[in-house]
Every structure is written in structure tokens, then in C-alpha cells.
Amino acid sequence: MKNKYVFTAVLLAVILFAGAGLTVLYLHRQDVDDGAEQLTVVTSFYPMYIVAENVIGNCDGVTLENLSEPQTGCLHDYQLTPEDMKLLSGADVFIINGGGIESFLAEVAEQYPDLTVINACEEIDLEEDNAHAWMSMEKYMVQVQTICDGLSAADGEHSGNYAQNADEYMEKIRSLRDEYSDLPDTLSGRPVVLFHEAYEYLADDLGLEVAGVMDLDEERQVSAGEVADILSVIEEQQVSVVFAEELYGKDMGDTVEREADVQVIYMDTLTRGDYDADSYLDGMRANLEMIREAFE
């Protein structure tokens, strides 16, 4: 019986000792985790989020958030909400497209003067009053590199990861560009009409001649005179294809297809979607395929 008590006492002592050791180890690991430096990156809207997602990858200690909902689209008249301001108050880096798309930027700068802002269009010559640079694969790669450089400057610890991830992403973009490398030669000088200014960058990449632009959005009221003018352009310039966004351009697209010998294709401006890292590549490939089929 005595041996039984001794065995029980020893067993309890071992359990207590092991428990104490595990507790110390857990507390130590918790201290290390709590002391680790965290970086919070916020992007202004969907296209910038997709770039940042690819550049950041799986870097430990880096949190990525998006300011607007993924279905918001462009931010021309976007109004910051209290939730947006709360999100920005905890951010270390704010990635924007620039070029005037983020009209609320002055308010952010005033509220958070120490916030690091990365302007993805900083190294790009933009079309006048048109900052949809991501619609050009060439300019999009410049944005990727600018965001990579900005993140590396803000977080030197992960600069190697950012550089490697950016290189891998740009290689995917180059591969997509090369897949459709025949289009610029085939389409060079061909006239096209645009129902969204974002397509100017894509048209320029492909060597198309922009014969006319009618920038349509939810607030755009089109007059009968404007319709007549665009129909005249289509006829005089012998335009066979119109680029439009279905959300705002479907009514006008139906009108011109009824009135003129022209095909309207509804393409993606790549401002909405899910958060899949390859969504830009998938959307741009679909656009290019539609263009190829339309002109063939």
C-alpha cells in the first residue's frame, strides 16, 4: 500500500513538472509572438488589392485589407465611411492607384499624416483625366513594381519576399501579353469606338485607333445629339467594333447595333470581382479573346 502511495505521489509530481514546463514554453512563445512587428496594408480598391495580394504573398506578419467592397468599381465619387476611417487608423501603408481616382485622398492625408501612401501611378504618364492605367498590361507591370518598391521601403525585413513575388507575378503578365502578341500587328490602325475611357489604355497597347469615346456611367445622361454624333463617327471612320462595359453601356450598345453595322463587345474594366490572386489575368485574357474574335 505504501508503494502505491509513493507511485501516485511521483506520478503527480511528474505531471505537475511537465505542466509547468509546457506553461513556461507557451508563455515564452506568446511573448515572442506579441513582440513580433506587424504590418497592416490597406488598398483603396479592387485592382490595387489584387496587385498587393500578389506582391505580399504569404509574408508572415503582414495583414492585407481592402477599403472598398470588391463590387464597388471605380472610386470617382466614393465617400469614406466611419468604418473606412477606423480601418485606416490602424494601417501602416495605404496603396492607391492615384491619378485622381481616390478623390478622398486629401481627407485621408489630413486625418493620418504619418500614414505611408504608395501611389501606383507615380511612375506612369497618364492619359489626360484618365487614370485607368491597369488596363494596359505594360503600365500594370509598372504599378506592380512601384507597389513592390514602396512595400520594400516600408518593410525592409520582407523586401526579398516582395521582390521575388513581384517578379513571379510580372512573369505571368508577360506570358499573357506574349500569348496575344499577334494582336498589335493585326489590329494596328484599325478604328474603334469606346463607351468607357478605361479601354483607351487597352486600345493603345493593341495599336488601335480610337475614333471616338463616350464615357458612360451611372450619372451620365446621353443626349440625342451625342447619339447622332457617335453614329456619324462610326459610319465615317468605318468602325466595326465598339468596346463597352455592360453595366453602364448596354442601352447605348443596343442602340448603336440597331442603327449601325457595328459589333459591340462588353468587356471587363477589372474593377470588380472576387479576391482570387489570378483574377486580373483571367479578366484580361477574356477581354483579349473577345477582341480577337470580334475583329476576326
Side-chain angles (χ1 to χ4, degrees):
M1 183 66 71
K2 182 178 179 180
N3 289 339
K4 180 178 178 181
Y5 290 145
V6 170
F7 175 77
T8 301
V10 171
L11 182 60
L12 288 172
V14 170
I15 292 172
L16 289 171
F17 179 78
L22 290 172
T23 300
V24 170
L25 178 62
Y26 171 79
L27 291 174
H28 173 70
R29 290 180 62 87
Q30 192 68 27
D31 288 341
V32 171
D33 291 341
D34 290 344
E37 188 171 345
Q38 301 289 314
L39 186 79
T40 299
V41 178
V42 175
T43 54
S44 58
F45 73 134
Y46 185 74
M48 297 300 99
Y49 182 94
I50 298 303
V51 179
E53 182 181 19
N54 279 279
V55 173
I56 292 171
N58 296 318
C59 286
D60 291 333
V62 182
T63 301
L64 177 62
E65 302 279 357
N66 195 37
L67 190 71
S68 59
E69 293 297 323
Q71 299 301 324
T72 301
C74 278
L75 301 179
H76 298 294
D77 299 311
Y78 187 79
Q79 299 293 318
L80 290 172
T81 67
E83 290 76 15
D84 293 336
M85 300 304 281
K86 181 179 179 181
L87 178 61
L88 288 169
S89 70
D92 300 296
V93 176
F94 186 33
I95 299 174
I96 66 169
N97 180 80
I101 282 185
E102 293 87 356
S103 58
F104 52 78
L105 192 58
E107 182 180 353
V108 173
E110 181 179 353
Q111 290 285 331
Y112 309 110
D114 296 329
L115 180 63
T116 297
V117 177
I118 299 174
N119 182 344
C121 282
E122 188 174 12
E123 301 297 327
I124 296 174
D125 291 328
L126 297 170
E127 300 289 343
E128 185 177 0
D129 298 324
N130 183 353
H132 301 78
W134 65 88
M135 290 300 293
S136 158
M137 284 189 284
E138 299 297 333
K139 289 178 170 55
Y140 186 61
M141 285 189 282
V142 175
Q143 291 189 310
V144 173
Q145 188 61 58
T146 297
I147 289 172
C148 172
D149 293 343
L151 286 172
S152 297
D155 178 24
E157 180 182 350
H158 293 111
S159 59
N161 302 93
Y162 297 144
Q164 180 178 345
N165 293 339
D167 286 344
E168 290 175 359
Y169 188 42
M170 285 191 286
E171 184 56 37
K172 291 181 179 180
I173 301 167
R174 280 190 288 267
S175 178
L176 176 61
R177 177 198 61 191
D178 294 345
E179 186 178 339
Y180 292 88
S181 60
D182 61 303
L183 286 183
D185 289 335
T186 303
L187 304 180
S188 180
R190 298 281 293 274
V192 66
V193 162
L194 313 178
F195 286 170
H196 196 299
E197 65 178 1
Y199 303 130
E200 286 189 65
Y201 288 101
L202 181 54
D204 186 60
D205 272 2
L206 298 177
L208 289 163
E209 185 70 31
V210 177
V213 179
M214 183 180 287
D215 195 32
L216 304 176
D217 58 36
E218 68 274 23
E219 298 179 354
R220 182 83 154 82
Q221 299 295 321
V222 180
S223 68
E226 288 178 296
V227 176
D229 288 343
I230 205 70
L231 288 172
S232 295
V233 167
I234 290 171
E235 181 180 3
E236 292 168 6
Q237 300 294 324
Q238 296 183 317
V239 175
S240 62
V241 177
V242 173
F243 294 173
E245 182 189 30
E246 187 164 14
L247 183 60
Y248 303 123
K250 187 66 168 64
D251 290 343
M252 182 57 63
D254 290 343
T255 298
V256 299
E257 282 191 317
R258 284 195 305 268
E259 301 294 331
D261 183 18
V262 67
Q263 179 182 0
V264 180
I265 57 174
Y266 297 99
M267 300 192 299
D268 192 348
T269 57
L270 308 177
T271 57
R272 299 176 178 84
D274 59 29
Y275 284 142
D276 184 85
D278 286 337
S279 62
Y280 175 89
L281 301 171
D282 295 339
M284 183 59 79
R285 176 178 284 106
N287 285 343
L288 292 169
E289 197 59 39
M290 278 191 282
I291 291 170
R292 171 176 281 168
E293 292 176 3
F295 280 99
E296 284 179 350

